Structure formats: structure tokens, C-alpha cells
């Protein structure tokens, strides 16, 4: 820990789109480690027998879900201009992963992963709703509690997801944006909300494909 | 790309999306030749194969060729593809394989043969060469199993025997001209049939004797040579080598940069096909290797570099090379791995350096448990050297050893099998002779036995392989000879090895078995969870082909072998007979 004080911490936001949506979280970490290495950024390593790069990711994205503003933090052993970080790193990233922002933050302090509390999702249904989506959403937002069945380690249980819904905005007949709890303390998976909405509609669950995208995860990093 | 809906139902969808670092992007409409490099195993295995890296970069260095890749879809993905009528596609441009000029399979292992048929079929291409027309891609193959291509002859248009770096350009040159002239496939094949290394099975006829052996094997085409000469790289320092390797986005079997320190082997282990077919022994200079290592690490971002060869010890400048690499890369957190290092007292220095970065288990391959057995296979290592090597390793801090042996070798006796247990126990005793403070925890020794498979172009190519029953009784014998609780015993499946034996020394008639097995559902036969001995036994029975004839029968020296038509530069039949007779004299 002591060494970290002398390092420089950067928070980087990036997209995870196209084919990179199918790269799992651990693989994404290795992908960035190698990219950072190729970019010759002066990345800091942990001490110990198997040193590894000091980098951390916030809130893993489910496999297949597109991300427009994902986040990671890296520690460098000397200060590098944020624009230079973008240039060096972007060249080394595969199609689908684009850096959208970089900001330097104090080396000491909680990690992005620990700070994150909410995320914005776009949920798109393949079917238009027979009754208006807006009606369903306003019902959800005005109710005090929403009980859904959740599969947990100890079998099915009923949980209240209402406290984990901060905001829902209907964009089109079949598409909405939702700000949901995201992080280590509270977390609501977008598909739980989507299936609940579908349950309140007259569309058969099996008929409707649902696409999820994560538009951002809380901590704003200034855009490039 | 395949639709999201399909990919999300597949285990590890990252296998099917490409987009890797250093993937080559070209416009397929702007090249003369589209080549699909097909690896008949799952993505993670194929992407760990250095030959793929070499050929991909070699072919793509030509502006007129675009080489893309495709792998065997795992069984879950195959089901989805068949259910939704989706053809097998390339990873670079997601083009169906049927759109390519060539589909080239790498033949690394006999037990991938059913995957080859499956991939051709998933591409909606007829599996047999004679059923394919001008509109279909030309299907070719190369790699170690191509030294006996006959079991696959029916499915392929041509094979390339030897090392592509040396001569494959000739095929592309002729094809570009042929395509511009709008020639037909047979004309093209007859033009390339004269190139060194090229074998076009349709240009050769085989006649059989009443007893099933080959009576005559001869060209039926004026241009086709009597014997096909294997080609090999003459100068390894000048040979093409990739500078920007593909770096997968998902974890594969080996995620590391690879430098090839030499090709071939100076030893003459009689069971080892690689030792014969990669002759002559050719090495790279330290300068070349260091430069290649630098380029590969820089362009890949890997944190491990592996020194590839059949036996690292035989590289005369190993110490110098490891020193240079350590000096340059250790500070960058790059570790060095020597996957085929034989441990002995002479290289404790190298061992110490390699170990300074990462420590895993160490592997010894004595192959035979007794000195008699090691002499028969010409594995020039004495018991003293093995025990010494273990002591060096234990002193260096290793306490996990893996030992590899073979069972079912020629003239093997029960006492040779018991010697496997004895040698392993002696190794455990070496550990406990160390001063107590040097022993961190109990030693762990894993003994693995594989079932010996006689291979073409080795002195054992005439040897009748053991039956499944005999292999299993041998395995039991080894197990009984191991008493120590520090030793665990693993053995390869005998059924798989016998099928491998039949395929590796098969002739054209074995094609029917491969096809039958594939139709009965055989896939990924090299994977124990997929292999079904019942399917293969049925396949032999239903196609009326005798397993015994190909696997277990001892062949006379004067029989025409299916692979005799290949001129294995420097490894001629007389030499192999002499080697084989040396063993007979020992008994």
C-alpha cells in the first residue's frame, strides 16, 4: 500500500461493443494488461512472488451486453498526460473497445469499483407493447414495492426491487432507459426488471427478444 | 458474426468472433486467392499452435492472398449451427468456407480426422473430393500426419508434405495464374503435382493383394512423380517467422510468445515420429532468436516467452540465450518457459534462471522404466542421470514432478513395467535424502503412461501394436508396482491409442471407417469426454475394415507400406530396417 501513494492513478472509461461483448470479464482484464504492455505505459506492478499490473475494473458487464461507458483504473509509476494515454492505449485495443474518457484521480482513495452505486441501462424489446409501455412504467414508478421471485443460492426467494430502481424513462414504444442500483452493496440486474415489465404486458415471454446495453456506470469521467 | 441469440447460447462465444490483436484485415475482393486455414480442433487449442501463427503470417505476407481462420465448433455450437442452418464461417470476414478458393486443414493428430469431415460438412461442401465440382473450394492438408495422408486421401484434393515456408508459394503462384486463365480444378492440380512436396491422391492408383496388403502404388498421371519428396527449410535463420502474432482475446491453452530455437532432433529415439520426419536438425542463431523474441513480445504484450523445440537441452547456446532473455526482459515482468527441458546436472544454472520468475512442476520423460527398455527405444539416458536430474530439481526448490512413460513398447516384459514403479519410488527417496530444511512439503510425483502407438517413418513402423486388453493389463501392472502415497498414477485410454494406431498406419480403405465414425456421431475424438470406443468399433465393423490388420498386425519388411511413396529426405526404408534390426539383435 505504501508504494501506491507515489503512483499516479487514472480512471479510464471505454466502450465494450461489437464482438468484444462476448469477451468475459477475466479475459477483458488480460486484454487490457497486454494492451497496456504494448502501449509501453509505465504501469505499476504489485509486489510479491507473482507481480501483476495494478489495474482494477468496476462492475463486470454480463456476457453479450454492450457497454458505452465502462470503467477501469490504472496506476502508473510516473505521470503521463491524459491525452497521451488515450493515444498510446487506443492504438492497442481491438475493434469495439474505444476509450471515451480519461481522468487523473488522487492515488489514495476508494477504487472506482467501490464507489459505483448505479448504472444506466437501455432495454429494448423486439415487440411493440399492446398497451403502452409508459403506462407500465408509471405504475412501476408509483408503486411502493415491487416483489419479484429471485433465484438465489438457497433456491427461490421473493425480493423487493423497487428500492433499486432510481429512474425509468421511456424512449420509444419498445425501448426504455433505466437507472438501477449497481455495485457491491446493492445491485439489480437489468434482465430482472425487463422480465418483470414483460410480465405486466400481454406479450408472451418467449416471443420477445430483449436487448440490453449499459450506457454508463455512475462515476462520470470527462469525455474526450 | 453469428447472431447474438446463437452466440449467447454457446459456451464461450468468444471462440467464434475473431477480432484478435494483429488479425489481418484485407478486402477479400481485392486478392487473387482466398485461403481458409482450418484447424480441426477447438479455438483455444488451435490458437495455441505455433504452426498456425507461422502459416497465417506467411500466407498473408503476400498481397495477392488473404488467409483467414476457422476452427472446429464445439459440440454445443455445432448443434446450434445445424438447428439454425448456419454454415461454418471464417473469423476474419465471417465468410462461409464455401466462398474460399482453398480450405487448408492442419493435420496434427489422427483423432481430429472426424472433425475435418464435420467442418467440411458444416461448410455445406461435399466431403469427398470426387463429389466436389469447380464451384467448391480446393481442400488441402499438411502437417505431421500428412506423412501418411492415405486414410484421408478420399477427402482431399492435395496434400503438402513438409514445411510450407520453403515451397508453398509455388502453389499460390500457379493458382493466381490458373484463376486468371479460368482453368479447371484438375488442370490446376496437375500443374502443382510437379512441385516439391505436393501430393495429389487422385493422380495415383493403388492395387491390393488378396491378403489385403498393397500390391502396387503408382501414378496414373504423366506429370505426377513416382515419389513425393518432403520439403524442408534449409536455413532457419532465413526462414520466414511471424513478427506480429495473433493475440487471442479469450484465454487459450498457451497464451505466450514463442520462439522456435531449432527444428528436428539430434537424438534418435525409435518411437518418436517427430524425431524422424523433422530431420535434418536445423537451429537458429542466438542473434536471430533474440531479435525475434523482442519483436514478438513488443507486438503481443505477452508476459511469457516460450522456447520451442523437441528438446531444449540440445540447443548448444541455451545458457547464452536464456541469459540474454533474462537480462533484457526480467525487469519487464516477462517469464521464460522451457517446455521441453530435460533436467540434468549440466543445466542447473539454466534451471535456476528460469525458475527465478515462475515455478511450476517439472517434467521428465524417461519413456521406459528399465534400462533395457530405454536401450530398446534408444532413449539415451541412464538411471543415474535421471536420479541426478531429480536431485538438481529438488535442490532448486521443485517438489512437483511429472514423469512420462510408455507401455506396450516392443519386447516389453513385466519386469520392465515393474521398473516404472521402482524408478518413481527411487525418485521419491532422492527427495527424502535432502536435508529436512530443504523440504518445504511432501514431494508429489505424477506418473503418466501413454500407450505406445507405432508411427510411419520410425523403426517401429512394422510393429504390431498391443491390443486394448494387453494395454489394460500392462497399466494394472504398473499400478501394482507403485506403493508410495506420494506417487499418483495416470494412464491414457487404450481404446483411443489403438484407434490412433489404426489411423496413423492406415491406407485408403480406412477412409470408410473415418466417414462411418463421423456419421455415427464421432467428434473431438482426442477429448476423453467425447471419444466413444463403441462408435469406432462399430465403424470398423460396419465398413468391413479390420482393426487388427491395421493396428495389431506385425508387417513384414518387404510389404509395400501405404506411405512408402513419400521420400522422407534422409530417412529411407533401409535405414529404418537397420534400426529395427538393431532392436531385434538386442533381444
Amino acid at each position: 500500500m505504501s508504494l501506491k501513494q507515489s503512483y499516479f492513478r487514472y480512471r479510464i472509461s471505454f466502450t465494450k461493443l461489437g464482438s468484444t461483448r462476448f469477451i468475459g470479464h477475466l479475459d477483458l482484464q488480460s486484454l487490457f494488461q497486454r494492451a497496456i504492455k504494448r502501449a509501453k505505459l509505465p504501469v505499476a506492478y504489485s509486489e510479491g512472488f507473482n507481480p501483476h499490473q495494478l489495474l482494477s475494473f468496476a462492475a463486470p458487464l454480463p456476457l453479450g451486453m454492450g457497454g458505452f461507458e465502462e470503467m477501469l483504473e490504472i496506476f502508473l509509476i510516473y505521470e503521463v498526460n491524459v491525452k497521451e494515454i488515450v493515444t498510446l492505449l487506443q492504438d492497442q485495443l481491438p475493434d469495439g473497445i474505444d476509450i471515451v474518457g480519461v481522468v487523473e484521480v488522487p492515488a489514495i482513495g476508494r477504487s472506482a469499483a467501490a464507489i459505483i452505486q448505479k448504472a444506466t441501462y437501455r432495454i429494448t424489446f423486439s415487440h411493440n407493447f399492446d398497451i403502452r409501455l409508459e403506462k407500465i412504467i408509471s405504475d412501476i414508478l408509483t408503486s411502493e414495492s415491487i416483489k419479484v421471485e429471485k433465484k438465489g443460492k438457497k433456491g427461490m426467494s421473493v425480493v423487493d426491487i423497487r428500492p433499486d430502481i432510481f429512474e425509468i424513462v421511456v424512449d420509444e414504444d419498445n425501448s426504455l432507459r433505466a437507472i438501477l442500483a449497481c455495485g457491491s452493496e446493492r445491485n439489480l440486474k437489468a434482465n430482472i426488471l425487463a422480465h418483470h415489465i414483460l410480465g405486466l404486458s400481454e406479450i408472451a415471454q418467449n416471443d420477445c427478444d430483449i436487448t440490453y446495453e449499459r450506457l454508463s456506470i455512475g462515476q462520470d469521467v470527462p469525455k474526450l | 458474426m453469428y447472431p447474438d441469440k446463437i452466440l449467447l447460447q454457446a459456451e464461450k462465444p468468444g471462440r467464434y468472433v475473431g477480432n484478435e490483436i494483429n488479425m489481418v484485415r484485407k478486402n477479400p475482393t481485392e486478392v487473387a486467392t482466398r485461403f481458409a486455414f482450418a484447424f480441426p480442433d477447438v479455438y483455444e487449442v488451435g490458437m495455441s499452435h505455433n504452426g498456425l501463427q507461422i502459416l497465417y503470417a506467411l500466407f498473408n505476407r503476400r498481397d495477392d492472398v488473404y488467409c483467414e481462420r476457422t476452427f472446429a465448433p464445439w459440440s454445443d455450437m455445432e448443434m446450434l449451427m445445424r438447428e439454425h442452418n448456419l454454415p461454418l464461417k471464417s473469423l476474419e470476414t465471417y465468410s462461409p468456407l464455401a466462398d474460399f478458393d482453398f480450405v487448408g486443414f492442419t493435420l496434427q493428430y489422427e483423432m481430429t480426422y472426424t472433425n475435418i469431415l464435420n467442418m467440411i460438412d458444416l461448410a455445406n461442401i461435399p466431403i469427398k473430393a470426387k463429389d466436389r465440382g469447380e464451384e467448391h473450394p480446393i481442400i488441402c492438408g499438411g502437417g505431421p500426419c500428412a506423412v501418411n495422408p492415405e486414410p484421408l486421401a478420399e477427402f482431399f484434393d492435395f496434400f503438402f508434405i513438409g514445411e510450407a515456408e520453403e515451397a508453398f508459394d509455388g502453389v499460390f503462384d500457379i493458382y493466381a495464374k490458373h484463376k486468371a486463365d479460368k482453368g479447371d480444378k484438375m488442370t490446376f492440380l496437375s500443374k502443382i503435382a510437379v512441385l516439391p512436396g505436393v501430393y495429389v491422391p487422385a493422380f495415383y492408383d493403388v492395387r491390393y493383394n488378396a491378403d489385403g496388403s498393397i500390391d502396387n502404388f503408382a501414378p496414373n498421371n504423366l506429370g505426377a512423380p513416382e515419389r513425393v519428396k518432403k520439403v524442408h527449410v534449409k536455413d532457419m535463420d532465413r526462414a520466414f517467422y511471424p513478427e506480429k502474432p495473433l493475440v487471442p482475446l479469450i484465454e487459450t491453452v498457451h497464451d505466450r510468445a514463442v520462439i522456435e530455437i531449432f527444428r528436428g532432433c539430434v537424438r534418435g529415439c525409435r518411437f518418436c515420429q517427430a524425431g524422424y520426419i523433422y530431420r535434418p536438425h536445423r537451429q537458429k542463431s542466438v542473434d536471430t532468436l533474440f531479435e525475434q523474441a523482442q519483436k514478438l513480445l513488443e507486438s503481443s504484450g505477452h508476459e511469457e516467452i516460450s522456447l520451442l523445440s523437441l528438446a531444449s537441452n540440445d540447443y548448444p547456446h541455451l545458457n547464452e540465450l536464456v541469459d540474454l532473455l533474462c537480462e533484457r526482459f526480467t525487469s519487464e515482468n516477462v517469464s521464460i518457459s522451457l517446455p521441453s527441458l530435460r533436467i540434468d546436472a549440466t543445466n542447473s544454472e539454466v534451471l535456476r534462471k528460469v525458475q527465478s520468475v515462475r515455478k511450476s512442476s517439472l517434467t521428465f520423460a524417461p519413456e521406459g522404466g528399465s534400462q533395457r527398455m530405454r536401450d530398446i527405444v534408444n532413449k539415451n539416458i541412464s538411471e543415474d542421470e535421471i536420479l541426478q536430474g531429480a536431485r538438481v530439481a529438488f535442490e532448486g526448490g521443485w517438489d512437483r514432478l511429472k514423469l512420462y512413460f510408455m507401455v506396450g513398447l516392443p519386447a516389453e516384459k513385466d519386469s520392465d513395467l515393474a521398473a516404472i514403479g521402482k524408478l518413481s519410488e527411487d525418485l521419491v527417496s532422492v527427495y527424502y535424502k535432502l536435508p529436512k530444511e530443504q523440504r518445504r512439503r511432501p514431494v508429489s510425483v505424477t506418473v503418466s503412461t501413454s500407450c505406445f502407438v507405432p508411427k510411419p517413418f520410425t523403426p517401429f513402423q512394422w510393429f504390431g501394436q498391443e491390443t486394448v486388453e494387453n494395454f489394460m493389463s500392462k497399466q494394472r501392472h504398473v499400478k501394482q508396482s507403485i506403493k508410495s502415497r506420494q506417487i499418483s498414477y495416470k494412464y491414457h485410454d487404450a481404446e483411443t491409442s489403438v484407434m490412433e494406431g489404426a489411423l496413423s498406419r492406415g491406407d485408403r480403405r480406412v477412409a470408410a471407417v473415418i466417414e462411418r465414425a463421423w456419421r455415427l456421431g464421432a467428434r473431438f475424438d482426442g477429448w476423453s469426454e467425447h471419444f466413444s470406443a463403441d462408435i469406432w468399433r462399430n465403424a470398423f465393423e460396419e465398413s468391413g475394415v479390420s482393426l487388427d490388420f491395421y493396428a495389431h498386425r506385425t508387417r513384414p519388411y518387404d510389404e509395400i507400406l501405404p506411405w512408402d511413396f513419400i521420400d522422407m529426405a534422409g530417412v529411407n526404408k533401409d535405414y529404418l530396417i537397420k534400426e529395427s534390426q538393431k532392436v531385434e539383435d538386442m533381444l
Side-chain angles (χ1 to χ4, degrees):
Chain A
M1 276 317 269
S2 58
L3 257 178
K4 272 194 176 176
Q5 293 174 35
S6 62
Y7 294 151
F8 298 85
R9 175 157 73 148
Y10 298 85
R11 202 166 277 168
I12 300 174
S13 60
F14 59 93
T15 66
K16 185 170 181 281
L17 297 169
S19 65
T20 62
R21 287 177 299 131
F22 298 102
I23 308 305
H25 189 62
L26 286 176
D27 291 329
L28 184 71
Q29 291 183 10
S30 323
L31 182 160
F32 266 99
Q33 279 165 19
R34 288 188 289 253
I36 287 164
K37 192 115 190 168
R38 288 191 300 272
K40 297 189 173 134
L41 287 171
V43 65
Y45 278 80
S46 67
E47 295 181 73
F49 199 70
N50 265 323
H52 55 269
Q53 293 183 6
L54 291 181
L55 73 171
S56 67
F57 287 78
L61 203 56
L63 207 63
M65 191 186 288
F68 287 80
E69 214 183 315
E70 295 302 301
M71 203 164 314
L72 89 137
E73 285 183 348
I74 59 172
F75 284 89
L76 301 183
I77 53 173
Y78 54 83
E79 198 165 12
V80 179
N81 180 293
V82 291
K83 279 192 186 130
E84 208 179 325
I85 293 179
V86 178
T87 321
L88 290 173
L89 199 51
Q90 185 62 62
D91 269 359
Q92 302 302 336
L93 292 167
D95 278 9
I97 299 184
D98 285 324
I99 295 174
V100 289
V102 181
V103 65
E104 188 181 343
V105 294
I108 297 299
R110 291 202 295 160
S111 69
I115 295 169
I116 279 169
Q117 291 182 326
K118 44 186 150 176
T120 311
Y121 298 88
R122 180 157 56 214
I123 302 172
T124 309
F125 300 92
S126 64
H127 284 54
N128 279 342
F129 283 69
D130 299 336
I131 51 169
R132 291 189 58 78
L133 186 56
E134 266 150 21
K135 171 79 175 76
I136 297 174
I137 300 306
S138 76
D139 286 352
I140 287 176
L141 293 176
T142 52
S143 47
E144 284 192 358
S145 76
I146 299 169
K147 300 273 164 62
V148 299
E149 284 206 325
K150 197 178 160 189
K151 214 175 8 187
K153 281 172 194 145
K154 292 173 188 163
M156 299 300 279
S157 60
V158 174
V159 291
D160 182 6
I161 61 168
R162 182 62 189 89
D164 297 333
I165 302 171
F166 298 109
E167 198 181 323
I168 305 179
V169 180
V170 176
D171 283 332
E172 280 170 65
D173 288 348
N174 66 338
S175 166
L176 53 85
R177 264 176 303 147
I179 302 179
L180 309 177
C182 175
S184 46
E185 282 173 29
R186 299 196 64 88
N187 193 61
L188 173 59
K189 289 177 179 167
N191 62 344
I192 292 182
L193 174 66
H195 284 109
H196 179 69
I197 293 170
L198 214 51
L200 298 174
S201 78
E202 281 148 27
I203 305 171
Q205 299 263 355
N206 291 337
D207 281 358
C208 186
D209 293 337
I210 312 169
T211 312
Y212 303 94
E213 292 157 302
R214 187 152 80 184
L215 303 179
S216 76
I217 41 173
Q219 293 304 302
D220 282 331
V221 175
K223 286 271 161 54
L224 296 175
Chain B
M1 215 160 60
Y2 293 109
D4 278 22
K5 223 180 150 171
I6 303 291
L7 289 171
L8 284 172
Q9 290 177 69
E11 176 198 346
K12 298 193 192 170
R15 287 167 170 167
Y16 310 106
V17 299
N19 191 26
E20 299 92 334
I21 303 304
N22 297 325
M23 187 182 90
V24 174
R25 292 166 204 273
K26 294 185 185 182
N27 183 344
T29 61
E30 286 171 5
V31 295
T33 306
R34 298 188 68 184
F35 190 101
F37 183 97
F39 200 102
D41 208 323
V42 75
Y43 178 85
E44 298 94 301
V45 172
M47 285 302 290
S48 304
H49 185 249
N50 200 44
L52 177 149
Q53 299 278 7
I54 295 177
L55 295 180
Y56 183 74
L58 176 79
F59 295 170
N60 275 319
R61 87 192 192 292
R62 293 178 65 116
D63 289 333
D64 62 345
V65 173
Y66 188 11
C67 174
E68 306 186 36
R69 291 159 300 142
T70 191
F71 298 85
W74 195 244
S75 43
D76 62 335
M77 186 62 174
E78 181 195 342
M79 241 170 61
L80 289 164
M81 288 166 70
R82 292 199 184 275
E83 186 186 335
H84 297 272
N85 251 319
L86 296 165
L88 185 61
K89 295 176 181 179
S90 67
L91 291 187
E92 274 71 8
T93 61
Y94 307 125
S95 307
L97 291 202
D99 292 356
F100 283 77
D101 296 286
F102 293 91
V103 176
F105 284 93
T106 177
L107 312 176
Q108 297 296 322
Y109 179 33
E110 292 81 358
M111 301 317 279
T112 63
Y113 288 176
T114 56
N115 277 3
I116 295 176
L117 301 195
N118 200 41
M119 288 169 78
I120 300 177
D121 183 64
L122 278 170
N124 297 325
I125 299 169
I127 58 167
K128 288 185 183 166
K130 69 172 171 52
D131 298 331
R132 292 194 289 265
E134 297 296 323
E135 72 278 20
H136 293 117
I138 292 162
I139 305 229
C140 57
C145 294
V147 301
N148 177 23
E150 288 300 87
L152 293 173
E154 206 175 9
F155 313 114
F156 281 69
D157 296 301
F158 76 93
F159 294 92
F160 188 82
I161 322 290
E163 296 165 358
E165 296 102 312
E166 195 66 15
F168 207 82
D169 275 328
V171 174
F172 286 134
D173 291 340
I174 293 176
Y175 187 75
K177 190 164 182 313
H178 152 84
K179 199 176 173 185
D181 297 345
K182 297 193 167 55
D184 61 41
K185 196 182 276 184
M186 274 303 155
T187 316
F188 165 70
L189 291 174
S190 65
K191 279 182 188 157
I192 61 165
V194 301
L195 294 178
V198 173
Y199 167 54
V200 180
F203 295 159
Y204 297 80
D205 288 331
V206 193
R207 224 171 43 222
Y208 300 96
N209 293 313
D211 65 4
S213 60
I214 295 172
D215 172 41
N216 189 47
F217 182 102
N220 58 28
N221 176 299
L222 281 179
E226 293 270 320
R227 302 194 74 206
V228 177
K229 202 171 156 67
K230 177 201 85 164
V231 293
H232 64 265
V233 166
K234 303 291 180 303
D235 181 346
M236 287 293 281
D237 279 323
R238 289 191 186 183
F240 176 85
Y241 202 72
E243 293 183 351
K244 293 182 170 184
L246 287 153
V247 185
L249 304 184
I250 63 168
E251 189 184 3
T252 66
V253 180
H254 298 303
D255 288 307
R256 57 197 189 189
V258 177
I259 49 174
E260 189 184 3
I261 55 179
F262 63 84
R263 214 172 270 186
C265 186
V266 292
R267 293 163 193 279
C269 302
R270 297 192 178 99
F271 58 86
C272 177
Q273 190 186 37
Y276 291 92
I277 65 175
Y278 292 118
R279 285 184 186 193
H281 170 262
R282 295 144 291 157
Q283 65 191 35
K284 285 188 189 176
S285 68
V286 171
D287 287 349
T288 303
L289 290 167
F290 184 69
E291 195 190 316
Q292 290 176 347
Q294 229 162 342
K295 283 180 178 160
L296 290 169
L297 287 168
E298 197 154 300
S299 63
S300 67
H302 281 307
E303 295 198 327
E304 180 180 345
I305 184 147
S306 175
L307 275 50
L308 179 71
S309 73
L310 290 170
S312 321
N313 295 65
D314 296 331
Y315 186 63
H317 318 294
L318 189 64
N319 255 309
E320 187 190 346
L321 178 64
V322 169
D323 274 345
L324 269 175
L325 293 173
C326 284
E327 195 180 305
R328 171 71 182 76
F329 298 113
T330 307
S331 61
E332 294 183 15
N333 292 291
V334 172
S335 65
I336 297 162
S337 67
L338 290 161
S340 57
L341 184 70
R342 199 185 65 243
I343 315 305
D344 60 37
T346 61
N347 61 14
S348 53
E349 194 57 10
V350 169
L351 207 62
R352 197 178 50 74
K353 288 170 198 151
V354 176
Q355 169 207 329
S356 69
V357 198
R358 195 168 298 160
K359 196 185 285 186
S360 55
S361 67
L362 272 182
T363 302
F364 285 84
E367 310 295 1
S370 65
Q371 195 56 49
R372 173 180 172 273
M373 215 64 249
R374 289 193 294 273
D375 288 343
I376 284 175
V377 300
N378 205 28
K379 181 93 188 179
N380 281 316
I381 184 165
S382 69
E383 182 151 330
D384 264 4
E385 286 171 303
I386 296 169
L387 297 175
Q388 281 273 12
R391 194 176 47 79
V392 169
F394 292 147
E395 283 170 357
W398 271 276
D399 48 22
R400 304 248 157 308
L401 288 190
K402 287 185 194 158
L403 301 173
Y404 286 95
F405 297 94
M406 277 184 279
V407 298
L409 287 163
E412 188 176 70
K413 294 178 185 166
D414 285 355
S415 54
D416 298 310
L417 297 168
I420 293 177
K422 169 81 169 55
L423 178 60
S424 313
E425 308 247 326
D426 289 349
L427 284 167
V428 171
S429 315
V430 170
Y431 184 77
Y432 287 104
K433 278 189 194 126
L434 290 186
K436 208 171 177 189
E437 59 277 12
Q438 282 187 40
R439 293 180 260 141
R440 280 190 304 134
R441 51 179 178 181
V443 69
S444 140
V445 174
T446 307
V447 173
S448 295
T449 60
S450 61
C451 302
F452 174 58
V453 180
K455 292 274 164 116
F457 295 104
T458 68
F460 295 148
Q461 64 178 356
W462 296 277
F463 178 70
Q465 191 186 15
E466 290 294 350
T467 59
V468 170
E469 292 68 31
N470 284 352
F471 274 129
M472 286 165 65
S473 108
K474 284 166 186 290
Q475 287 163 347
R476 279 194 298 274
H477 214 96
V478 173
K479 198 171 166 54
Q480 283 161 8
S481 73
I482 296 171
K483 302 281 187 299
S484 165
R485 281 191 306 167
Q486 314 302 336
I487 304 174
S488 62
Y489 177 48
K490 291 179 181 162
Y491 49 87
H492 284 210
D493 177 43
E495 301 262 15
T496 311
S497 304
V498 167
M499 294 307 160
E500 180 188 337
L503 296 184
S504 76
R505 292 188 295 166
D507 57 34
R508 290 184 177 191
R509 294 167 296 185
V510 172
V513 182
I514 301 169
E515 184 184 345
R516 194 72 211 132
W518 167 66
R519 291 199 189 279
L520 292 172
R523 312 276 190 276
F524 291 99
D525 299 297
W527 294 71
S528 53
E529 72 259 46
H530 275 279
F531 177 77
S532 158
D534 285 345
I535 286 186
W536 280 93
R537 290 191 176 279
N538 289 341
F540 270 96
E541 202 155 298
E542 289 171 24
S543 42
V545 174
S546 156
L547 176 64
D548 185 68
F549 182 83
Y550 292 101
H552 307 310
R553 179 177 65 99
T554 298
R555 306 178 195 207
Y557 288 136
D558 60 1
E559 181 175 320
I560 297 176
L561 300 172
W563 52 92
D564 274 351
F565 72 96
I566 290 173
D567 176 358
M568 191 53 66
V571 184
N572 61 45
K573 206 169 178 176
D574 290 343
Y575 165 74
L576 292 174
I577 290 174
K578 257 184 226 150
E579 279 295 301
S580 174
Q581 282 167 340
K582 272 190 209 165
V583 173
E584 287 170 23
D585 293 346
M586 274 183 222
L587 307 178

